[in-house]
């Protein structure tokens, strides 16, 4: 068993965990991301661990149980502070799970007060007077009001969170945060004396988050999006450093698999093709017809890999996706494509690929699972929210694997070749 960790994090979804880990690494922490609660003690020497759960939209009782299991494991690794990470658009239903999980963690940690803020100014999520903005508009005008699983129809986070918890919810507003950490500490003392258990915190810039950080030093539990993470490593005497993101040297062949149909990914696929790189589209209808599309793709890739990165993609524009979904069903189409891409990822690694970019949140989950990856060490950022990661030797047939998991709308147009340059 290795040294004790400083910060123990619990993330309610997979790419959100990577996003948090990325911010911690940029602030100087050495970070490992665990896929689910590990069965064993941590093997690596790191400052923080992010346990990635998939608990955002499951039943509240189940989300609580998984989060408490993660808490116990993190405590056993020595974590001095716990960070519950949720989405920067505060994705939740009236039943939870942000409120119930926060409550359960507070109780388990014996603390009567914590903060809650999804603010992430780098990605244009800001909180002002308790109201969450996504870009230029309030949350409930951002498209999130139509989300299929977690429609967000009220931008006032004090009200949203109050509906999910027995604790009284209050606000640490912008005027207080602007005056600095001491003013925040005084406001916290005042709120506690009034019986407030959780306070939404305003933040409209990274400066706000950096001012907030020191005021959270003694808090056993912090709950937030990934933004607050930029201000916490300093509390442990850690400063940004290049060394935090150093991964083992990369080698082997290079490939990209993409099951994301987001706008940014469509541009990235096009840009890769226009650069003259080999790319193969896979057709969901042929998968549905029983063709072994994965075997075809692997046979196509085999002779090309020696000459540089190849791309296998199901990425398509909205109209084409709708038409496939109309014929196969939304979930069936998604699951079928995810399975096929995961099988292709596994086959590519068997062919010697050791640098793999995966595009798509759900697609990433499927690939990481198929590759048998349990832990990822987090390295340098390729683009905001997307770092290179390294899976230890047990994955990828004993050789280790560099892998980047890109959620839908992240990354510049040249992401699919830029990623490999960053790794050099
Ligand atoms: P993103 O991060 O862009 O949302 P995801 O991987 O999370 O990407 O989600 C994309 C979903 O769409 C996956 O379930 C994937 O299997 C599915 N999908 C990918 N390509 C197609 C396609 N051509 N037709 C229908 N569904 C697709």
């Amino acid at each position: 068993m290795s040294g004790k960790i400083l910060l123990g994090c619990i993330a309610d979804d997979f790419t959100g965990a990577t996003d948090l880990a990325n911010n911690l690494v940029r602030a100087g922490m050495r970070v490992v991301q665990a896929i689910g609660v590990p069965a064993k003690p941590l093997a690596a020497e790191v400052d923080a661990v992010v346990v990635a759960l998939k608990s955002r939209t499951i039943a509240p009782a189940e989300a609580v149980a998984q989060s408490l299991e993660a808490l116990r494991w993190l405590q056993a690794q020595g974590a001095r502070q716990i960070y519950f990470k949720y989405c920067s658009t505060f994705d939740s239903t009236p039943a939870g799970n942000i409120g119930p999980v926060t409550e359960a963690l507070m109780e388990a940690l014996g603390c009567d007060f914590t903060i809650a803020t999804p603010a992430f100014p780098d990605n244009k999520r800001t909180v002002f007077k308790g109201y969450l903005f996504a870009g230029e508009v309030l949350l409930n005008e951002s498209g999130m009001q139509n989300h299929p699983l977690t429609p967000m129809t009220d931008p006032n986070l004090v009200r949203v969170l109050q509906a999910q918890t027995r604790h009284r919810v209050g606000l640490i507003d912008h005027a207080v945060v602007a005056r600095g950490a001491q003013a925040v500490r005084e406001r916290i003392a005042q709120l506690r004396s009034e019986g407030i258990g959780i306070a939404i915190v305003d933040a409209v810039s990274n400066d706000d988050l950096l001012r907030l950080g020191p005021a959270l030093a003694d808090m056993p539990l912090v709950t937030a999006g990934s933004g607050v993470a930029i201000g916490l490593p300093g509390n442990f005497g850690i400063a940004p450093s290049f060394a935090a993101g150093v991964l083992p040297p990369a080698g082997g062949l290079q490939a990209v698999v993409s099951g994301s149909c987001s706008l940014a990914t469509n541009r990235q696929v096009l840009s890769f093709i226009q650069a003259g790189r080999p790319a193969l589209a896979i057709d969901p209808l042929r998968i549905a017809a029983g063709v072994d599309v994965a075997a075809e793709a692997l046979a196509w890739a085999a002779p090309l890999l020696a000459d540089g990165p190849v791309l296998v993609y199901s990425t398509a524009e909205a109209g084409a996706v709708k038409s496939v979904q109309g014929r196969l069903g939304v979930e069936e189409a998604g699951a079928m494509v995810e399975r096929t891409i995961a099988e292709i990822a596994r086959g590519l690694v068997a062919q010697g690929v050791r640098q793999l970019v995966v595009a798509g949140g759900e697609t990433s989950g499927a690939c990481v699972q198929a590759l048998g990856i349990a832990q990822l060490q987090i390295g340098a950022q390729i683009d905001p929210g997307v770092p290179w990661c390294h899976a230890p030797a047990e994955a990828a047939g004993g050789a280790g694997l560099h892998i980047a998991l890109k959620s839908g709308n992240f990354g510049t147009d040249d992401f699919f070749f830029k990623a490999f340059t960053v790794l050099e």
Side-chain angles (χ1 to χ4, degrees), residues 95-151:
N97 292 333
I98 296 174
V101 170
T102 300
E103 242 175 61
L105 293 172
M106 286 172 77
E107 196 183 325
L109 287 160
C111 65
D112 66 353
F113 186 88
T114 187
I115 60 137
T117 180
F120 187 16
D122 279 352
N123 265 348
K124 299 192 162 39
R125 309 288 192 258
T126 53
V127 182
F128 184 66
K129 293 186 186 294
Y131 285 78
L132 175 57
F133 290 79
E136 309 307 312
V137 298
L138 284 165
L139 177 65
N140 60 321
E141 301 168 11
S142 69
M144 277 303 296
Q145 70 273 26
N146 300 320
H147 191 283
L149 301 176
T150 52

